Amino acid sequence: DTAVSQTPKYLVTQMGNDKSIKCEQNLGHDTMYWYKQDSKKFLKIMFSYNNKELIINETVPNRFSPKSPDKAHLNLHINSLELGDSAVYFCASSLQSGVETQYFGPGTRLLVL
Amino acid sequence: QQPVQSPQAVILREGEDAVINCSSSKALYSVHWYRQKHGEAPVFLMILLKGGEQKGHDKISASFNEKKQQSSLYLTASQLSYSGTYFCGTEPPGNQFYFGTGTSLTVIP
């Protein structure tokens, strides 16, 4: 069984569109994360969600919004997609934040044309 | 707030050793190390929770100097399978988790 899963694996879309990426973890973890990895391989935290507390990286545009229907899911919605949003987006989860191992999903490769 | 890693990239021959350093401008309370192979997700290597702590498995180990706000990852007798990008990471209290700038390691035969 996959511990952290993401869908879709690949996403190609036009500028201006709205899209969502889904993430599910079956590890019973309390904390989930979204990361963006650009072409230079930098892994940048976008959001972390722990026990209904959302921590937002202040540099993330408000076109990005996380939605957590329950503890096992943290979906990422992106409005009005821009060329610069092209990247690999990783979801991850951990038992709690800070000192626990993070388990990553396989990533979603987003290409905005 | 992102920890800085050095070197940015390193190429080794099989059997050689390497050291990857991670430095933070903020106090480090824990340091994580992850490895990401090309086209894959990052995978956990180890966590160091206390200053002075050293950990390791196989031929990969790490140390944590809390006072210097640094951590180092040691790869001994490198194997082809060690190739990838290595990231340190930390979560300062009251802040989010931050990964370091990454170090690309390539092991050649």
Side-chain angles (χ1 to χ4, degrees):
Chain A
D1 283 345
T2 305
V4 183
S5 59
Q6 290 180 233
T7 54
K9 192 171 181 180
Y10 298 96
L11 185 54
V12 181
T13 188
Q14 300 284 335
M15 276 177 57
N17 284 350
D18 303 337
K19 290 293 178 186
S20 295
I21 306 172
K22 295 186 177 181
C23 177
E24 176 181 2
Q25 54 97 0
N26 62 6
L27 298 168
H29 287 168
D30 286 333
T31 305
M32 295 184 74
Y33 309 82
W34 275 107
Y35 291 93
K36 177 181 180 181
Q37 187 169 42
D38 60 23
S39 57
K40 294 183 178 179
K41 299 286 191 181
F42 291 136
L43 268 169
K44 176 183 163 185
I45 183 81
M46 300 179 72
F47 306 100
S48 56
Y49 198 83
N50 183 20
N51 289 329
K52 299 187 179 180
E53 181 189 5
L54 176 65
I55 302 174
I56 302 170
N57 185 324
E58 60 189 15
T59 66
V60 174
N62 58 15
R63 299 181 294 102
F64 291 80
S65 57
K67 297 267 191 311
S68 181
D70 54 57
K71 202 173 84 163
H73 297 83
L74 184 65
N75 303 324
L76 182 65
H77 297 268
I78 316 169
N79 295 325
S80 302
L81 278 156
E82 300 177 357
L83 295 176
D85 297 334
S86 296
V88 181
Y89 291 84
F90 287 102
C91 173
S93 74
S94 66
L95 195 56
Q96 55 179 311
S97 63
V99 295
E100 299 285 345
T101 304
Q102 293 186 32
Y103 296 86
F104 281 77
T108 295
R109 285 139 187 87
L110 172 66
L111 178 61
V112 182
L113 302 174
Chain B
Q1 297 196 17
Q2 185 177 33
V4 176
Q5 291 180 228
S6 62
Q8 280 188 310
V10 58
I11 299 175
L12 301 173
R13 292 199 177 275
E14 269 187 295
E16 291 182 338
D17 302 340
V19 180
I20 299 172
N21 298 305
C22 172
S23 296
S24 174
S25 59
K26 291 185 177 287
L28 293 175
Y29 293 93
S30 66
V31 179
H32 301 223
W33 285 98
Y34 288 77
R35 176 171 62 205
Q36 183 179 28
K37 298 203 173 186
H38 182 69
E40 298 180 5
V43 173
F44 170 77
L45 291 176
M46 64 189 80
I47 295 177
L48 298 100
L49 297 176
K50 297 179 185 177
E53 184 175 16
Q54 295 194 27
K55 272 190 176 179
H57 55 85
D58 285 338
K59 294 174 182 172
I60 301 177
S61 61
S63 63
F64 178 18
N65 188 324
E66 194 175 5
K67 288 184 181 177
K68 290 186 178 179
Q69 298 174 178
Q70 290 178 342
S71 177
S72 295
L73 186 71
Y74 306 94
L75 299 105
T76 306
S78 57
Q79 306 167 16
L80 294 176
S81 62
Y82 286 4
S83 292
T85 302
Y86 289 77
F87 293 96
C88 65
T90 187
E91 182 172 314
N95 280 280
Q96 286 185 304
F97 189 87
Y98 291 97
F99 277 104
T101 49
T103 296
S104 172
L105 183 93
T106 304
V107 181
I108 58 175

